[in-house]
């Protein structure tokens, strides 16, 4: 049984860069993280002490369970993860915790980190605190010889897709149907918990550029001019409109739309929100199951999905 003491080597662990990880990339990641924190007006640091971990639990409760639902994390879990040397960091504004991120080492050992949960307090929204946390996480992982971070997000939430794919340069790897099972609260009941698993290649050129602020989002008009087809769009009532399967199957690039604000839609019109869930599952889920690759996202809410000809399903 642990005596609760802090391991002396956790902060001191600095592994040699892994295969293919240059010291210049590690240094660039640290500098990008430092600049991002400065621009956001926060200090980001690794957390160990019980009082800090209690603040993380309280923060996540304020963000996700104002009605008293089951907590997403508890102090015992955070204590164990931190003591074992996993990733647990907080963003502080004048000494007050305004954001936190929790991750743990992923299989196979020594390759990657899985980022389990991250959140930013409402009063700190709009300052890129989440971006500062992710860049700190990237630098922390690279310093330990890790080349990849994975996490999941709801593919219907447009702002999260933009953040993950455009601002960070992560790429979807798998569409996961009802990943967390049903959530039976007033907003999410019956909506399903589909998630995209994304992988963040920490040394990729696109990630180095995006972490330095050099970002690019897809140009829907140009892609359509080049032959991309619309696989999922919005109809005149705010609901989903799905193109025939044959149209999607014959296209090398498919554009897939998301609703403007599915969280608000779940409150105002849960049935339409549910139809969006099933439509995105049918279109984006099928494409990713068919070895297609998401190559970009736009601020207007479009995924661009490219499917190599050899991966297309036969008619």
């Amino acid at each position: 049984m642990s005596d609760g003491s802090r391991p002396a080597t956790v902060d001191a662990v600095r592994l040699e860069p892994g295969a293919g990880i240059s010291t210049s990339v590690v240094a660039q990641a640290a500098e990008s993280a430092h600049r991002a924190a400065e621009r956001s007006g926060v200090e980001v640091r690794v957390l160990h002490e019980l009082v800090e971990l209690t603040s993380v639990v309280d923060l996540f409760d304020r963000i996700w369970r104002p009605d008293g639902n089951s907590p997403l994390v508890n102090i015992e879990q955070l204590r164990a993860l931190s003591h074992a040397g996993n990733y647990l960091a907080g963003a502080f504004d004048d000494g007050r915790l305004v954001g936190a991120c929790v991750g743990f080492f992923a299989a196979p050992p020594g390759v990657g980190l899985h980022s389990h949960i991250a959140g930013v307090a409402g009063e700190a929204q709009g300052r890129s605190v989440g971006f500062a946390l992710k860049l700190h996480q990237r630098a922390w992982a690279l310093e330990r010889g890790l080349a990849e971070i994975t996490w999941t997000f709801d593919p219907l939430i447009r702002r999260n897709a933009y953040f993950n794919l455009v601002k960070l340069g992560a790429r979807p790897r798998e569409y996961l149907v009802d990943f967390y099972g049903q959530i039976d609260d007033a907003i999410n009941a019956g909506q399903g918990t589909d998630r995209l698993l994304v992988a963040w290649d920490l040394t990729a050129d696109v990630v180095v550029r995006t972490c330095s602020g050099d970002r690019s989002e897809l140009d829907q008009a140009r892609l359509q001019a080049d032959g991309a087809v619309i696989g999922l769009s919005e109809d005149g009532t705010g609901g989903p409109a799905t193109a025939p399967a044959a149209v999607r199957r014959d296209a090398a690039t498919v554009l897939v739309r998301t609703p403007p604000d599915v969280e608000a839609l779940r409150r105002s019109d849960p049935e339409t929100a549910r139809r969006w869930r099933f439509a995105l599952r049918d279109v984006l889920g099928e494409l990713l199951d068919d070895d297609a690759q998401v190559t970009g996202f736009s601020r207007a809410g479009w995924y661009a999905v490219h499917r190599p000809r050899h991966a297309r399903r036969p008619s």
Side-chain angles (χ1 to χ4, degrees), residues 32-261:
S32 293
H34 176 72
R35 290 198 305 267
E38 279 194 331
R39 287 192 295 268
S40 297
V42 295
E43 175 196 6
V44 183
R45 66 173 188 264
V46 173
L47 307 179
H48 300 292
E49 305 301 332
L50 277 174
V51 64
E52 298 172 329
L53 306 187
T54 300
S55 295
V56 172
V57 173
D58 292 342
L59 173 67
F60 288 167
D61 282 356
R62 292 198 307 274
I63 295 172
W64 280 291
R65 57 183 295 267
D67 298 327
N69 296 315
S70 299
L72 298 177
V73 297
N74 58 47
I75 191 67
E76 293 84 4
Q77 293 168 337
L78 295 185
R79 184 63 157 170
L81 289 170
S82 174
H83 189 79
N86 291 281
Y87 181 79
L88 176 52
F92 293 83
D93 181 0
D94 195 24
R96 182 171 54 92
L97 184 72
V98 295
C101 187
V102 179
F104 45 81
F105 295 108
V111 174
L113 184 81
H114 184 76
S115 187
H116 176 55
I117 184 171
V120 175
E123 64 270 20
Q125 296 285 342
R127 290 169 44 188
S128 296
V129 174
F131 184 67
L133 277 166
K134 294 303 290 186
L135 264 59
H136 180 275
Q137 187 182 56
R138 173 176 178 251
W140 184 95
L142 286 169
E143 287 173 350
R144 286 153 180 81
L146 306 178
E148 179 182 87
I149 299 176
T150 58
W151 64 90
T152 64
F153 76 96
D154 186 338
L156 282 173
I157 300 179
R158 185 179 290 186
R159 70 177 187 280
N160 288 354
Y162 186 86
F163 177 77
N164 293 326
L165 276 59
V166 179
K167 294 190 71 172
L168 296 179
R171 287 294 177 262
R173 175 172 289 170
E174 186 178 4
Y175 191 99
L176 304 168
V177 175
D178 272 340
F179 187 59
Y180 293 109
Q182 291 298 319
I183 299 176
D184 294 324
D185 60 22
I187 294 176
N188 295 294
Q191 296 290 333
T193 55
D194 291 13
R195 296 292 183 265
L196 278 184
L197 175 69
V198 296
W200 201 19
D201 182 346
L202 305 183
T203 65
D205 289 342
V206 64
V207 173
V208 174
R209 292 196 304 272
T210 56
C211 290
S212 300
D214 180 13
R215 304 168 189 142
S216 61
E217 60 182 78
L218 70 86
D219 184 335
Q220 177 202 349
R222 182 184 64 79
L223 288 175
Q224 283 188 266
D226 290 341
V229 303
I230 294 179
L232 177 62
S233 59
E234 185 177 5
D235 66 20
T237 67
T242 304
V247 173
R248 306 195 308 264
R249 184 172 55 242
D250 291 338
T253 301
V254 181
L255 297 171
V256 181
R257 189 171 177 81
T258 56
D261 187 348

